[in-house]
Amino acid sequence: MEVDAETLFNALGERYEDAYADSPGLLEVTEYVVSKLPRSSHVLDVGCGTGKPVAAAIASAGHTVYGIDVAENMVRIAASQVPGTFLKADMRTYTPPVKMDAVFAIYSLYQIRPSDVHKMMYRFAEWLKGDGILVLGVSPSSALVGGKGVHDPVWDCTRSKVTWMERPVFELYFSQTAWLNLFREAGFAIELEKMFDYISKDPKHTRSETHYLIVGRKSVSHPLLGPYPLPECLPGKSMRNESAWRRLQGHLFLKDDERMKLSSMLEGHQRILDIGQGLKDFLGKASARNKSVETLPTPFNNLPYPDAQFDAVIVTMILDYVDDLRDFLLEAVRVIDKSSSNARIILIQGAPYNEVQKLMNTVCTPLSCKNTGTAHQGLLLHSAMKILAEIGFGGTSLRPLSTSYSFDENSSSNRSNALVEMLPNVWFPGEKKHEQMKRELAFPIEKLLHDHPGFLQNELVILEAVLDDH
């Protein structure tokens, strides 16, 4: 059975530093990035290991260093030999204390799952200042010997089980092209690439490895609106089977901290219009406590309410299905009481790394005879943000919301079968290639449920808009 990253690196400790710290290629790239940083920059080392060579080089140049690692032993060693702030933390749930000038993630993305790699690219971008620098150290899939591994077509990567430092591990590989695409999709412009062969200094681990270092500079203001580049125009109106959608929503799950995130946004609001039933789905019956909530399950061309009726409108996962985005948002603004200090519009759509959207876009949409184009949640929110600014709601902010679809069937095969039946029925009912869609969904769904048993990640983005003068 494969060894997880925390167990592996706790056991390796200083042996890892002895094997990998003396890498001329890595030091060259690190020095290049350090030369590009403003004075007294804040720099995060993700998967910092023992702190050498990356964190040590950054600290020596006079910058403020933060380091995280899943292995307590690594954090302890790093803190003992490099000035900085080092924490035991999982990159997937960590939030840095300040915006960073640079983020390094050197050889720390091998053992997380493909959807998490996609997610981390956007998280790295969110953690950076406006023109911050991201540095990744990876190995391209071309480095795999003898074609070992299984290709995952949804995430365009290779999953492989290998022996590394005498231990069986799961590793993830993307091609050189796929890595560059991930940078661009998350809003980075490539500044430098360096690929070289490296043989570790460990006497028991001497095989040659291909190391690929990529330096990208953040070039967009809103990474969560990706993937970039944005399409030139919105696709045509999509359709959704509402009864199948409600069955899927019956499996929606939020952790308490995510529930509180949304609840706090509505604190102080008394008259709320809930379009799409998101408030009910996210917060349950508690959403109506001490509030007047009006719920519309689907969008209307003309909202059946007088002007200035509500102090908040929340719209969840329906922008794909409105006839005209501008007209719909004008209606939403019409029913807002602009004299209220709490007046706001909240739009929630899928994040660019949403697993369900990824499955639909890569597996089902190409098989659809009604294909109106790949759904692009970021473009919907980008367009909505622009329209809202034009009509007075220009105070906007974006934040992620982590939800999942949880399935308690008594076996992984039952969960997989349930999802294979359910998902195409939501967006592609009655399609000629409906059965083919289900067959082709089986493998990627099985892999996702292996990555995180019992649920599919359903990552979302919240766009909050308030009046310009608030």
Side-chain angles (χ1 to χ4, degrees):
M1 185 174 179
E2 305 97 59
V3 178
D4 65 84
E6 181 176 0
T7 302
L8 174 63
F9 287 99
N10 268 325
L12 287 175
E14 291 174 341
R15 180 184 169 193
Y16 179 78
E17 180 182 312
D18 294 339
Y20 285 92
D22 184 20
S23 171
L26 175 55
L27 286 170
E28 180 184 327
V29 171
T30 302
E31 289 168 4
Y32 166 83
V33 174
V34 168
S35 74
K36 299 293 183 180
L37 293 176
R39 284 188 177 184
S40 303
S41 287
H42 291 79
V43 181
L44 174 64
D45 188 0
V46 177
C48 61
T50 66
K52 292 184 177 181
V54 173
I58 295 164
S60 295
H63 302 299
T64 301
V65 173
Y66 303 82
I68 62 170
D69 202 289
V70 293
E72 183 71 44
N73 193 25
M74 290 295 197
V75 171
R76 179 187 58 78
I77 297 170
S80 72
Q81 61 184 5
V82 179
T85 302
F86 295 91
L87 296 172
K88 180 183 184 299
D90 187 324
M91 70 178 83
R92 294 168 292 188
T93 55
Y94 171 78
T95 300
V98 296
K99 287 282 188 179
M100 297 291 164
D101 294 278
V103 171
F104 284 74
I106 303 301
Y107 315 138
S108 55
L109 296 177
Y110 286 103
Q111 291 180 277
I112 63 173
R113 305 300 173 173
S115 61
D116 288 329
V117 170
H118 279 244
K119 177 179 178 177
M120 287 314 306
M121 293 299 294
Y122 293 92
R123 297 201 81 204
F124 292 152
E126 284 288 303
W127 295 349
L128 287 165
K129 294 178 181 177
D131 62 347
I133 297 173
L134 173 64
V135 189
L136 292 192
V138 297
S139 291
S141 55
S142 58
L144 282 170
V145 179
K148 292 180 180 178
V150 177
H151 182 252
D152 186 328
V154 171
W155 305 99
D156 190 20
C157 64
T158 300
R159 300 164 179 261
S160 183
K161 296 179 181 179
V162 301
T163 299
W164 181 79
M165 298 290 274
E166 305 166 80
R167 292 164 174 84
V169 296
F170 162 87
E171 290 187 341
L172 191 66
Y173 292 84
F174 292 82
S175 68
Q176 183 177 358
T177 299
W179 277 119
L180 295 177
N181 285 340
L182 282 172
F183 268 79
R184 295 183 182 113
E185 287 172 1
F188 291 96
I190 304 300
E191 284 202 357
L192 177 70
E193 298 174 71
K194 185 175 182 62
M195 192 177 300
F196 54 92
D197 291 331
Y198 181 80
I199 299 176
S200 85
K201 306 303 187 291
D202 190 279
K204 295 182 179 180
H205 181 75
T206 58
R207 75 164 186 257
S208 178
E209 300 173 350
T210 302
H211 290 185
Y212 180 36
L213 301 180
I214 315 165
V215 178
R217 190 176 291 272
K218 183 176 175 179
S219 60
V220 301
S221 300
H222 304 294
L224 290 174
L225 298 186
Y228 291 91
L230 295 177
E232 292 184 1
C233 60
L234 291 168
K237 177 183 175 182
S238 299
M239 301 298 292
R240 185 172 75 187
N241 181 326
E242 288 302 317
S243 61
W245 170 251
R246 294 318 312 168
R247 286 195 292 275
L248 179 62
Q249 289 299 93
H251 294 272
L252 191 70
F253 173 78
L254 278 78
K255 294 180 180 178
D256 288 342
D257 57 339
E258 294 296 301
R259 198 180 301 274
M260 287 299 298
K261 182 188 298 184
L262 187 58
S263 182
S264 64
M265 295 176 65
L266 296 171
E267 195 170 321
H269 292 80
Q270 297 302 316
R271 298 165 294 151
I272 301 173
L273 176 58
D274 175 17
I275 307 177
Q277 299 188 45
L279 197 58
K280 178 181 176 182
D281 292 336
F282 295 142
L283 304 182
K285 294 180 180 179
S287 65
R289 191 173 299 152
N290 301 321
K291 302 180 190 297
S292 173
V293 179
E294 187 76 24
T295 300
L296 288 176
T298 56
F300 283 73
N301 292 337
N302 298 297
L303 295 175
Y305 306 104
D307 295 353
Q309 183 76 9
F310 304 96
D311 57 11
V313 174
I314 180 168
V315 180
T316 308
M317 298 300 292
I318 60 167
L319 296 186
D320 315 58
Y321 314 111
V322 300
D323 292 323
D324 184 280
L325 184 59
R326 176 177 290 274
D327 288 349
F328 173 74
L329 292 174
L330 284 170
E331 275 291 280
V333 168
R334 179 184 66 78
V335 300
I336 288 280
D337 179 5
K338 299 176 188 64
S339 67
S340 169
S341 60
N342 286 323
R344 71 194 59 226
I345 293 177
I346 298 171
L347 308 177
I348 302 177
Q349 292 290 135
Y353 40 84
N354 182 291
E355 289 184 349
V356 178
Q357 291 288 331
K358 188 73 172 176
L359 284 170
M360 295 301 99
N361 282 340
T362 57
V363 178
C364 295
T365 296
L367 295 173
S368 172
C369 62
K370 305 171 187 175
N371 186 354
T372 58
T374 300
H376 196 295
Q377 303 292 297
L379 180 59
L380 284 167
L381 287 175
H382 180 272
S383 302
M385 185 164 60
K386 183 178 179 181
I387 294 167
L388 288 170
E390 291 170 358
I391 55 181
F393 279 77
T396 55
S397 62
L398 293 162
R399 67 192 76 181
L401 179 69
S402 292
T403 77
S404 61
Y405 289 119
S406 179
F407 292 82
D408 59 1
E409 279 78 1
N410 56 16
S411 73
S412 58
S413 61
N414 287 343
R415 285 189 288 269
S416 179
N417 291 337
L419 279 163
V420 165
E421 289 293 328
M422 190 176 297
L423 293 180
N425 286 334
V426 176
W427 291 282
F428 302 96
E431 287 271 0
K432 290 181 179 179
K433 296 184 178 180
H434 191 82
E435 292 302 314
Q436 184 179 348
M437 290 179 186
K438 292 196 294 185
R439 289 195 299 273
E440 296 194 13
L441 278 171
F443 173 78
I445 286 176
E446 179 184 332
K447 289 298 180 184
L448 285 170
L449 291 176
H450 178 268
D451 292 347
H452 35 69
F455 64 94
L456 278 188
Q457 293 176 340
N458 182 49
E459 305 280 5
L460 306 174
V461 175
I462 302 172
L463 168 61
E464 181 181 15
V466 300
L467 286 164
D468 293 329
D469 55 356
H470 282 194

